[in-house]
Every structure is written in C-alpha cells, then in structure tokens.
C-alpha cells in the first residue's frame, strides 16, 4: 500500500453550509500516529463517552474562531505499523500538495495544530516548503502559528537512546510493530537532523515561526502482555505507567511550552469548551490568529522583493492544471539551473489556456520566490514587444530609456544580462509569428541571457516553440481540460439552476471538447442571457450557422488582451492567416480537411503533392494542434470546432463554393466503385465522402457530385443500408435529370440503381415503374440512334 492509499487526506471539518462566508484564516489539524480521527470522537460522543470533537463542535474551536476554515489531515494508523520513517515523513509532500490544491489562489494565513507523529510530518512540511525553489514556499510564508501536542522530537525519553519502543508500544498497543521501532531507532539520527533543520528554519529572521509546544503530564498505562518479550524484558515489569513523550522530548529549545493534564492519547481530546486543557490550546490558537497580520507584515518587510511587471491581475476563476503548474515551477524558477538561462515553452491550440497558465505561474513564482523579478512581454506585434521592454526599462530606471532614439530592446537585453539584476523570469506571451521573431524584426535577437534568468514562451506553433527552446524536453504541451476541471470552470459564473441538468452539462462540455476558451465563452453567454446549459447546447446543435455565431460572440475578460478578440472563432482566424502566409500547401490541406468527417481521415485522401511538401504541410497543421496523428498512423483527426470556424472563414472570404467543388472532385477521383475486392478502401472513405456531400450548398462541379452520390448510394446498398442508399440514388437521379436530361446514359444508370434499391426494400410497385421507365427511355434512345 502506498502513502497516498493509506492517507485519508485533507478534509474540511466544518460543513460548507456552516462555514464562514468570508474566512480570514485556515486552521489545519494533523493527527498523530495512533490518534483517533474526528469521526471516532463523534462516535464516542454519541455513545455517552463524553469526548467532544473540538474541531467541529459548534461550541468549541469554531466558536472561538468563527472566521476560520478548519481542516484535518489524518491517516490509517494501522498502516504505519510497518512503515519506514521515510514513508512516514513522505506524507509531507502529500500534505503540501493537498494544502496548495485546497487553498488554490487564496493567501489566507495558516495555523497548524499537530499531534504526536503528526508534528514530525509538519516539521518536514516546513522543511520542504523552505527548500530553494520549492513550489510550496508560499505555505511557509503564510504560516502564522504552530501548536505541537506531544510531538516526540527527541524520541520517548531524551535521557536514553530514544526508546522509541516505549512510545510506539504505548500508543499502538498490540498493533505496535518491531519493524517500525527498529527503523525509528536506526534512523534516530535522521529524525534528529530533520528536527534540527526545522528549528533552524523556525528561528530564521526572515521566517520566525510562532510556536507553542504542549507536553503531557499524566502517565500512560503500559501492559506487559501487549509488548513483545524483548521489550518486556527491557521494562522488567508486568504493568507500568510512563510519560510517553516527556517535556524534554516534546519541546523545542527557545519556544514557549505548556503542560496539559492529560495522557499522551488525550492530548488532542477535550470534554467541552470549559475543559482547562482546551482553554490552554484555544488561547494559543487565538493568540496566533490575533497576531497573524503583524507576523505577515514583518515577513513581507524582511523580504527584498523583485520587480513585478505583469499586465493582468490574478485570475480568480483559474481552475485545475495542477500537474502542469507543478512541472512549470520546477522548470522555470531561475534557481533551477545555475549554469544556464533556462528556456521553456508552453504550447497548444489557441484557446486551450496557455496565457492563463503562464499568468498563474507568474503569481505562484511571486509567492514562492518574491525576490525573483517577473516581466511580462506580449509578442503579438513589434510595437507591443518594444512597449513592454520600455516599461521594464522605466521601472528599472535604465539611463536613456526614454530618449527619442534609444534602442530600447538592446538596452533591456543588456541590463537583464547583468548578474547584478538577480533572479528574473521573462514571459514572452503569444510567440506565434515566425517572421516577427526570426524575420526582419528578429525579436529573438533581443532576448537576454543570464544564469540568474529564465524565459517562458507561450506559443500555438510547435515548430516555432522548438526553434525557441531548441529541445523537445523544454516544451510543455497543453491539451483540453479534464472533465472535472471543465465542469468547475463552467460553473464559475453560473447559478445552480442553470446547471441543474447534469446530462446537459456533460454533453455541452463534450461538444465544446473541454476547451477552456470555448467554456468561458459559453459561460459568459449563458450568464448574460440567463439560459441553462441545456438551452445553450440546443442552440449549438440547431445549425452550424448558430454554432458559428456563438463561437464568434465576444465576451469581456480582463485577463486577456483588450485589442484581441476573445471569441474562439476569431482566436483561430489569427492562426489560419499565419498558416496561409507561411505555408500555402498546409493552408490548402486545412481547407480540404474541414469538409471531411473529423476522425480517422486517411492520408491518401489529401490533395496530391510532393512527399516532402506534404510531410511539411501536415507538420505545420500538427504544430498548430489543428490536427493530430495517433502513433505514426496514416490517418488524422481534426478538431470539430476548428472545422466549423474554418468553414465560416471560407464563407467570409467567398471561397466556400470553390473549395466545395475541389473537395468533391478529389473525392470523386479517389473513391472507387464499391466492389467486394476493394471493400476495405471504400468503407474507410465512406464517412468522409458522406460528410462532404452533406456540407455542399451549391457547387459548379455537378458531374463530380452525381458520381459521388452514385458511389455512396451503391456503398450503402452493399452494406444493406437500403434507406440511405435510396436517398443517395434519388439525389443522383434528380441532379442528372437536371444537368444531363432524362435520356442520358448516366441518368438511365441512376434509374437502374434506384430501382434496384427500391426492389431490395420490398417497394416492388415503384421499382417496377422505375424499371419500365428506364426500359422505355433506353428503347427510345436506341431508335433515335
């Protein structure tokens, strides 16, 4: 069993309905090895034992701190009977992640209350949060108080060699493990070093953690019969009473200490709000809460802050992406590589959330390393880039930055390249234009280099991203959100009544492919028009025209650029234009693909071109994430919303009719007349040909259209889908009668095909009429000849 499996996790004690509307502080209780969870306390209370859950009982801690969010972290104590010390302390990483996830972007102060071995875990939490470059340093900075309840910092008896066996046996009784005790004894120096490191951090001038150490004053009864013989011989008595964690073990030098009239197991259990032990613990917590503001201000003043130029405020609606953010923080912190100026790229489809991830990364770095300067530079055009560099120069007070002929970009490159600038992160957002970055303007020539610096790019172009960072290992690909993340984002702006239909919620998110920008756009529209997800989904599916209008509807978002349209469709128009400017064949392939079914598009269907040119064109479309290719297969998938937006773009440019004809002509050329021996080929082409036929509004190439209709109709007949076959053959017949006339041989062939399908469906009378009409027309044509 892993640590995660054994852990019950971080749990909010006070139900959400009873929680404070505007909490000002978080209290996190960490239970110790063998201690009972709040659920157990509630059971004892219901059964008349008089034990009260002081964390959730309304008359106790919630009453003492009504504006606090109260959480608990506990685990399966039985599991740790066989756990090594490293596994026990490994809970620090789990707890850090849970706290960061649970608090999100909140910066409320934290008070920890830790019992027994939970105190050792908390000490390791602080150690790891204090590490250079830790993504969790903000948790350390937010900690304004810690209450330790009988934590065995120095073992069971400081006067002897730890005597962990007495402590573990006293706590766990029959569940005590020889393996755990031997490991504790062998790793005693390891534990001592972790405790010493914690004490150094707690005493550091920049942190100065307020602590209170409580120790037990009542002895615990230890029975010889529950101890293994080796331990019993050491104790040499049948029944003994011991202070399991003595004052000298439970208290850290230089910090306040208090004794509680309790046995070890009773250190975190109280009978009511008037219990003297509870009052002592409560007073300590209240004092920490009262001093929280002063503690945070003192720390803030003691930290030398870096420069901060980020044009957007923190996005309070940001959800999910924790694994990506964790990876990013490890990569982009300047302290991560002392020998190089790191370069990292976030890449993905337009609207997938790259800018918002970069923005949250900037704020988390400010929380983790406030001394690190962060600069935000948009690369949407040369003017925006230079203006951002000028703003950096103005804040840094660079001499000559405001002079009329100043080379602003060169000045900033030089300044950021100096070691004296300290640590900095430069975020280059929207690095999508190859000409802008590597062409005549060559903005990449002005990217600074410093071993104390780091550059983060966001780009929708994989090829360009690779050129910027020079290694696949430095690229983080961002895809659509998970279902849970997408649902949270959808509900950020909506009322519960608008999302009451859970099926519609799921169906809408699936339709929007969990794309963050599409979800934000949909949410904004529903909030504005006060409609439900079911109603919005119905509008989306009513027609492609409505879908295009919804995808093109603008919405206000102060976390995006004001001069750039926020709508999904217009976001992709930028990419369409860039592809057209740089790779004409890729643009033609994209136009072609938007007429086909979105999944499993065979490479053989694409317009014919040179092998190398086609490879490069497909590479461009994959680089922009408009299409994907699974495991080097010979087929592609294209994003449905991209198809709809692309068709709208063709409509707007007056090119849709032209491209409809080109696609149908290509499909007519490659689609074989369906036979048994080529069955695999035409079955694979069928869904794409059918989709293209459904999208036609009007096309001048009616010959190709009628040929395809006949082939598709015959394909359906071979598959036994006679109703669909009838529809195709009727359309082919009507079009050929209109274009070629009733007596043309191709028209007569369509009559024969339709008659055969009618006969297969048992429509014998209509089939007979059709055969007679065909025969009469053939005889007439024969007589004329």
């Amino acid at each position: 069993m892993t640590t995660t499996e054994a852990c019950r996790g971080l749990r909010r004690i006070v139900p959400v309905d009873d929680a404070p509307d505007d909490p000002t502080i978080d209290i996190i209780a960490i239970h110790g090895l063998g201690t009972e969870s709040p659920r157990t306390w509630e059971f004892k209370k219901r059964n008349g034992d008089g034990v009260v859950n002081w964390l959730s009982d309304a008359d106790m801690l919630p009453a003492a701190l009504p504006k606090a969010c109260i959480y608990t972290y506990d685990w399966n104590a039985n599991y740790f009977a066989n756990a090594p010390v490293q596994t026990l302390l490994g809970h620090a990483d789990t707890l850090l992640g849970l706290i960061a996830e649970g608090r999100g972007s909140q910066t409320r102060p934290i008070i920890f209350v830790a019992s027994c071995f939970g105190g050792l875990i908390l000490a390791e939490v602080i150690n790891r949060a204090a590490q250079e470059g830790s993504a969790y340093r903000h948790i350390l900075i937010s900690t304004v108080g810690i209450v330790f309840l009988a934590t065995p910092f120095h073992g069971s008896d400081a006067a002897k060699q730890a005597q962990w066996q007495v402590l573990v046996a006293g706590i766990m009784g029959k569940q005590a493990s020889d393996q755990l005790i031997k490991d504790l004894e062998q790793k005693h120096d390891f534990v001592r070093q972790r405790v010493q490191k914690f004490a150094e951090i707690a005493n550091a001038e920049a942190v100065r953690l307020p602590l209170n150490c409580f120790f037990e004053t009542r002895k615990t009864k230890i029975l010889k019969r529950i101890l293994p013989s080796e331990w019993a011989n050491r104790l040499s008595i049948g029944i003994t009473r011991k202070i399991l964690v003595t004052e000298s073990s439970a208290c850290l030098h230089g910090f306040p200490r208090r004794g509680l009239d309790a046995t070890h197991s009773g250190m975190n259990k109280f009978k009511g709000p008037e219990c003297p032990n509870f009052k002592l613990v409560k007073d300590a917590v209240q004092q920490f809460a009262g001093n929280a503001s002063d503690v945070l201000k003192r720390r803030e003043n003691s930290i030398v802050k870096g420069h901060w130029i980020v044009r957007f405020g923190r996005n309070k609606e940001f959800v999910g992406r924790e694994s990506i953010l964790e990876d990013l923080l490890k990569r982009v912190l300047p302290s991560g590589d002392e020998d190089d100026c790191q370069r990292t790229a976030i890449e993905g489809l337009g609207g997938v959330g790259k800018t918002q991830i970069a923005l949250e990364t900037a704020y988390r770095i400010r929380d983790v390393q406030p001394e690190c300067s962060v600069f935000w530079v948009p690369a949407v055009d040369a003017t925006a880039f230079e203006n951002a560099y000028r703003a950096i120069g103005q804040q840094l007070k660079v001499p000559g930055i405001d002079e009329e002929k100043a080379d602003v970009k060169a000045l900033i490159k030089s300044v950021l390249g100096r070691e004296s600038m300290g640590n900095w992160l430069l975020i280059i957002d929207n690095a999508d234009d190859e000409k802008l970055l590597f062409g005549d303007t060559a903005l990449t020539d002005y990217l600074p280099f410093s071993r104390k610096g780091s550059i983060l790019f966001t780009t929708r172009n994989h090829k360009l991203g690779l050129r910027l960072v020079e290694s696949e290992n430095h690229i983080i690909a961002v895809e659509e959100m998970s279902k849970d993340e997408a649902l949270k984002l959808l509900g950020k702006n909506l009322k519960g009544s608008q999302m009451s239909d859970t099926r519609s919620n799921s169906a809408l998110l699936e339709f929007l492919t969990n794309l963050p920008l599409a979800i934000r756009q949909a949410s904004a529209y529903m909030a504005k028009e006060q409609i439900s997800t079911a109603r919005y989904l119905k509008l989306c599916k009513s027609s492609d025209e409505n879908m295009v209008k919804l995808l093109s509807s603008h919405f206000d978002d102060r976390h995006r650029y004001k001069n750039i349209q926020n709508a999904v469709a217009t976001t992709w128009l930028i990419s369409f234009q860039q592809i057209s400017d740089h790779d004409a064949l890729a643009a033609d392939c994209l136009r072609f693909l938007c007429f086909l079914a979105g999944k499993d598009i065979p490479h053989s269907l694409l317009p014919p071109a040179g092998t190398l040119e086609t490879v490069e064109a497909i590479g461009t479309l994959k680089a922009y994430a408009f299409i994907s290719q699974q495991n080097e297969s010979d087929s592609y998938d294209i994003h449905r919303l991209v198809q709809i937006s692309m068709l709208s773009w063709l409509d707007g440019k007056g090119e849709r009719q032209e491209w409809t004809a080109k696609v149908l002509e290509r499909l007519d050329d490659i689609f074989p007349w369906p036979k048994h021996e080529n069955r695999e080929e035409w079955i694979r082409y069928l869904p794409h040909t059918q989709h293209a036929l459904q999208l036609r509004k009007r096309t001048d190439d009616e010959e190709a259209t009628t040929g395809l209709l006949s082939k598709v109709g015959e394909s359906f007949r071979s598959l036994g889908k006679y109703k669909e076959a009838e529809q195709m053959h009727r359309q082919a017949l009507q079009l050929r009668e209109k274009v070629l006339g009733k007596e043309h041989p191709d028209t007569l062939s369509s009559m024969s095909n339709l008659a055969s399908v009618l006969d297969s469906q048992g429509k014998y009378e209509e089939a007979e009429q059709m055969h007679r009409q065909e025969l009469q027309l053939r005889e007439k044509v024969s007589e004329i000849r």
Side-chain angles (χ1 to χ4, degrees), residues 416-486:
L416 293 184
R418 300 171 188 167
E419 293 288 311
S420 59
M421 259 303 298
N423 290 349
W424 52 260
L425 170 66
L426 181 64
I427 299 175
I428 309 294
D429 190 32
N430 285 344
D432 303 319
D433 192 329
E434 188 170 10
K435 287 184 178 179
L436 187 68
L437 294 168
F438 293 99
D440 294 337
T441 51
L443 294 184
T444 52
D445 289 347
Y446 299 98
L447 295 176
F449 175 89
S450 170
R451 290 177 179 83
K452 292 186 177 181
S454 179
I455 304 176
L456 174 63
F457 303 93
T458 72
T459 181
R460 60 184 74 187
N461 186 338
H462 176 77
K463 289 182 178 179
L464 188 55
L466 188 58
R467 192 172 176 184
L468 288 167
V469 301
E470 300 178 351
S471 171
E472 290 280 1
N473 294 330
H474 296 159
I475 293 177
I476 296 179
V478 180
E479 299 180 348
E480 291 81 2
M481 287 181 142
S482 68
K483 291 180 181 179
D484 290 341
E485 290 173 337

Side-chain angles (χ1 to χ4, degrees), residues 487-506:
L487 188 61
K488 288 179 182 178
L489 181 61
L490 179 64
K492 280 289 183 178
N493 288 328
L494 301 181
K495 300 175 183 176
S497 58
Q498 291 175 286
M499 298 182 63
S500 58
D501 187 340
T502 54
R503 286 189 178 183
S504 293
N505 297 341
S506 298

Side-chain angles (χ1 to χ4, degrees), residues 498 524-532:
Q498 291 175 286
Y525 185 90
M526 286 184 281
K528 177 184 175 183
E529 303 299 333
Q530 299 184 11
I531 61 174
S532 66

Side-chain angles (χ1 to χ4, degrees), residues 496-603:
S497 58
Q498 291 175 286
M499 298 182 63
S500 58
D501 187 340
T502 54
R503 286 189 178 183
S504 293
N505 297 341
S506 298
L508 176 59
L509 292 173
E510 183 179 356
F511 188 84
L512 298 177
T513 65
N514 291 340
L515 187 71
L517 182 58
I519 295 170
R520 282 281 294 113
Q521 185 173 1
S523 177
Y525 185 90
M526 286 184 281
K528 177 184 175 183
E529 303 299 333
Q530 299 184 11
I531 61 174
S532 66
T533 54
R535 175 63 176 154
Y536 188 87
L537 179 62
K538 188 174 182 180
L539 288 173
C540 289
K541 291 186 173 181
S542 59
S543 67
D544 281 353
E545 287 76 12
N546 281 340
M547 186 69 238
V548 167
K549 288 179 181 178
L550 291 172
L551 289 176
S552 304
S553 61
H554 177 74
F555 66 98
D556 294 325
D557 188 344
R558 59 192 182 90
H559 300 102
R560 293 174 62 85
Y561 300 100
K562 290 184 178 179
N563 59 335
I564 297 179
Q565 290 289 313
N566 291 329
V568 172
T570 49
T571 293
W572 288 335
L573 291 183
I574 298 170
S575 297
F576 297 160
Q577 192 60 55
Q578 288 173 343
I579 292 173
S580 296
D581 292 343
H582 299 298
D583 193 333
L585 181 57
D588 285 350
C589 285
L590 184 59
R591 292 182 178 97
F592 187 89
L593 290 169
C594 74
F595 286 91
L596 307 181
K599 302 292 184 182
D600 193 25
I601 302 171
H603 182 90

Side-chain angles (χ1 to χ4, degrees), residues 40 44 64 101 113 164 178 228 233 267 399 468 515 609 652 743:
T40 307
K44 286 191 173 185
E101 182 180 359
V113 181
W164 292 104
D178 183 42
N233 291 334
M267 289 294 287
L468 288 167
L515 187 71
E743 297 175 359

Side-chain angles (χ1 to χ4, degrees), residues 544 548 551 572 576 590-599 601 626-627 637-650 656 688 691 695:
D544 281 353
V548 167
L551 289 176
W572 288 335
F576 297 160
L590 184 59
R591 292 182 178 97
F592 187 89
L593 290 169
C594 74
F595 286 91
L596 307 181
K599 302 292 184 182
I601 302 171
F626 282 152
I627 67 171
D637 296 341
I638 182 170
H639 202 290
R640 168 166 167 71
L641 300 185
V642 171
Q643 285 184 296
I644 295 173
S645 300
M646 187 69 193
L647 288 171
S648 175
W649 189 54
L650 290 175
R656 179 161 177 168
H688 305 291
H691 189 78
L695 286 177

